[in-house]
Amino acid sequence: MTALVVACGQDAAGCLLVAAAVLTGQLSVGWSNDAVDAARDSAVGRRTKPVVAGSVGVTAVRGAAFTAVALCVPLSLAYGLLAGTVHLVGVAAAWAYNFGLKATALSWLPYAVGFAALPSFVSLGLEGRPWPPWWIVVSAALLGVGAHLANVLPDIGDDLATGVRGWPQRLGPARARLLLPVPLVTATALLAFARPGPAGTAGATAVSVALVLAVGGALLGRRRPRLPFLAAIVVAAVDVAMLLRQGAAVT
């Protein structure tokens, strides 16, 4: 998001505000997730989690999460009232996921809202307060849905064992894995072809790369459960590169 706001021509102060607001928001989301899920993570032995491993206590993580979100509020609003409000809606959606929506059929919604809020936050703080083009907002939301599927996929069995029945868990690992390429590739295609003017070789190449990565990761994910998530990260990197290349197209 910082690279995007620089590409859009924002001044130094605005770039620093975006960096600080998004950083504190994301830290608050991650830390609150670890605090809320501490008991569930311990039950399934997720030793990669610092709380489960015993390297930090739940109280400390909870305090850090609330500190981060308390900083996120003024930092977001300092970038602009409308922009800040949009960003805080995205952060609130992520907190809502942590505090219960993750176990419902609407578990995809906080991801869609949170991802869509980020380019909107950047754009609405620019001169003239423009909303970003629709295809950028929709592609960001689709990327969020894909991230949700990819992130949950390796842990579906553990989630079901601890009572978490979100959208991917209800689909089951096979259907979730096969569905994963759809939002990822559609997001890339929107960035490549929905904007005015010809897509060019770069756009067609980006879509082809996203298609190969997403489909390949989904097909190979049966034996290597973490592979779809890694593929989703690379597809997201391709999409970010396209956004940076378009630069001022966000406005």
Side-chain angles (χ1 to χ4, degrees), residues 181-207:
V182 176
L184 295 178
V185 176
T186 304
T188 308
L190 280 174
L191 289 174
F193 301 123
R195 66 187 182 95
T201 304
T205 301
V207 174

Side-chain angles (χ1 to χ4, degrees), residues 112-134:
V113 172
F115 274 61
L118 289 172
S120 301
F121 173 52
V122 168
S123 182
L124 289 168
L126 299 173
E127 185 177 355
R129 306 292 188 263
W131 284 94
W134 68 268

